[in-house]
């Protein structure tokens, strides 16, 4: 999957991922390859990205929005 994490000021991350965990407004959830299309609001918490080499990267966010469509995930955060 291709993942982009974008703030109003800059791009925080762009690259390949095998799993993403986000703090959804109604609970944390994960997105894997070939996930159904989804749009969700995000609350304060941690976004975790697992890269193909199993390295995990964490980003603290205050709020945001995630969109997943055709193995492309865009996360807009504050």
């Amino acid at each position: 999957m291709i993942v982009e994490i974008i703030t109003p000021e800059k791009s925080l991350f762009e690259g390949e991922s095998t799993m993403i965990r986000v703090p959804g407004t109604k609970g944390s959830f994960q997105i894997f390859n070939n996930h159904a299309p989804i749009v969700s609001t995000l609350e304060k918490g941690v976004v975790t990205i697992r890269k193909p080499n199993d390295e995990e990267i964490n980003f603290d966010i205050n709020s945001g929005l995630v969109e997943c469509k055709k193995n492309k995930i865009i996360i807009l955060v504050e």
Side-chain angles (χ1 to χ4, degrees), residues 5 13 46-51 54-59:
I5 299 180
F13 178 85
V46 177
V47 173
T48 301
I49 297 174
R50 184 176 301 142
K51 295 171 68 175
D54 287 335
E55 175 188 359
E56 288 191 357
I57 303 170
N58 295 310
F59 297 93

Side-chain angles (χ1 to χ4, degrees), residues 6-8 23 25 40-45 47 60-66 75-78:
I6 305 167
T7 71
T25 305
S40 178
T41 54
L42 304 175
E43 63 181 18
K44 185 174 181 150
V47 173
D60 292 320
I61 66 166
N62 290 321
S63 64
L65 180 73
V66 61
I75 304 172
L76 306 172
V77 299
E78 269 191 66

